[in-house]
Amino acid sequence: MLNLNSFKNKITFLGAGNMTQAIVSGLVSKAPSIGSQINVVIKSEYRIEQLSKYQIKTLNNILDREALESDILFLSVKPQQVRDAIESLKGKLSNQVVVSLAVGLAIEEIKEWLGGYSKIVRVMPNTPSMISKGMSGIFATDEVNSIQREWIDMIMSSVGEVLWLDDEDKIDVVASISGSGPAYIFRFAESLVKAAIENGLTDEQASKLVIQTIYGSGVFLKSSEDSIQTLREKVTSKKGSTQEALKVINENNIDKIMLDVVEAAIYRAKEIRNELSIKDS
């Protein structure tokens, strides 16, 4: 079984946004020496300064020798920038794993832009990866071998949990749940804070109560052997105030609301894919 301390492969990130920084930070925090095996293709002086503490190497071009000799190439730029960023790699890849972090961008598109190269992995992480509490959905083509899958699993596990998928289309579902999920929770938190303030608490008091309640509930949920439903039932005493509150939630059909929320996100992800296909055709 591979582990980060024995990991000797070279990694190149194309782009230095928040997710690149999250993954680099996660890797280096668990295996400090790994920084010397990481390249980042970057032009922003600000980003270079941010990443310098990890002892990585910065490159100016994806065609630099160090990048082409990498075992793993992360595409960490915006979906609309991927084609321009990678078309120059046509005919220059042999056994590298290309990992896309781009929302809504299908493997088929990346494969075409790379001239038919098919060792491709799609990863959908989320923003809690920035504090190593993330959730990443992963799908790989058949051409990605078992050892290479272990590499990707190990890298993404450095910033949280991973979930391997057997169907690329499920990446859009992952994006709508864990990818967008933090925003849903933050929006819920906003409303709960407002409700607390309306009922006499200060902004500071309300925020503290809501943040700690959501944090504690998440930790409790993850650590408990009970199902989500069972935990909810244990908190809900018959004829109590919690039951009365949940009655309001249920009367407003929370299940239907969340289904609509998730399906709207999935639909938009497919729209983005179509927009990119039309733009780049």
Side-chain angles (χ1 to χ4, degrees), residues 1-251:
M1 184 70 178
L2 294 172
N3 64 74
L4 280 177
N5 288 311
S6 62
F7 186 75
K8 302 301 180 186
N9 302 86
K10 293 182 179 180
I11 308 168
T12 291
F13 290 87
L14 177 56
N18 290 335
M19 202 50 62
T20 292
Q21 293 189 60
I23 297 171
V24 170
S25 175
L27 288 170
V28 172
S29 68
K30 292 174 175 59
S33 64
I34 205 170
S36 63
Q37 297 159 225
I38 298 174
N39 304 310
V40 180
V41 179
I42 181 175
K43 295 180 180 178
S44 165
E45 291 295 330
Y46 172 69
R47 293 294 190 184
I48 290 174
E49 184 178 345
Q50 284 186 312
L51 289 165
S52 62
K53 62 183 176 182
Y54 299 115
Q55 306 300 309
I56 63 165
K57 184 169 185 177
T58 57
L59 306 175
N60 293 317
N61 197 302
I62 193 62
L63 296 179
D64 284 0
R65 179 178 57 81
E66 291 90 343
L68 294 177
E69 290 179 352
S70 292
D71 302 286
I72 305 163
L73 176 60
F74 275 86
L75 307 181
S76 189
V77 294
K78 294 179 180 178
Q80 297 83 356
Q81 299 173 328
V82 172
R83 181 174 185 174
D84 289 341
I86 68 172
E87 277 196 311
S88 60
L89 292 172
K90 280 184 181 179
K92 295 180 174 65
L93 300 177
S94 55
N95 195 43
Q96 299 93 330
V97 182
V98 176
V99 183
S100 171
L101 302 176
V103 178
L105 187 57
I107 283 177
E108 196 58 37
E109 301 285 350
I110 298 170
K111 181 178 177 180
E112 180 181 342
W113 299 336
L114 291 174
Y117 190 77
S118 56
K119 275 185 176 288
I120 301 171
V121 176
R122 279 188 69 187
V123 175
M124 175 47 58
N126 64 2
T127 51
S129 298
M130 297 173 69
I131 56 168
S132 295
K133 300 295 182 184
M135 183 70 237
S136 297
I138 309 175
F139 174 81
T141 61
D142 292 340
E143 289 78 9
V144 180
N145 64 42
S146 59
I147 296 297
Q148 291 168 328
R149 288 168 189 253
E150 280 192 63
W151 295 347
I152 306 307
D153 189 283
M154 185 170 50
I155 290 169
M156 297 314 302
S157 292
S158 74
V159 293
E161 301 285 334
V162 300
L163 175 67
W164 283 87
L165 305 168
D166 58 4
D167 182 346
E168 184 183 0
D169 284 344
K170 292 179 182 177
I171 285 284
D172 290 338
V173 182
V174 170
S176 72
I177 301 294
S178 61
S180 299
Y184 312 154
I185 293 169
F186 299 155
R187 184 63 186 89
F188 167 76
E190 282 183 282
S191 292
L192 201 52
V193 166
K194 288 178 182 178
I197 293 171
E198 286 288 327
N199 282 276
L201 295 184
T202 66
D203 191 329
E204 183 179 356
Q205 290 171 331
S207 296
K208 183 173 183 176
L209 281 175
V210 170
I211 291 169
Q212 183 61 27
T213 300
I214 291 174
Y215 172 74
S217 299
V219 173
F220 188 29
L221 183 60
K222 185 174 175 62
S223 63
S224 177
E225 294 182 357
D226 289 333
S227 68
I228 298 173
Q229 178 180 338
T230 299
L231 288 174
R232 188 258 303 159
E233 289 171 349
K234 285 183 176 180
V235 180
T236 310
S237 302
K238 289 183 179 180
K239 297 183 179 180
S241 59
T242 303
Q243 184 180 66
E244 196 64 22
L246 287 175
K247 182 180 176 182
V248 175
I249 291 176
N250 292 331
E251 286 175 349

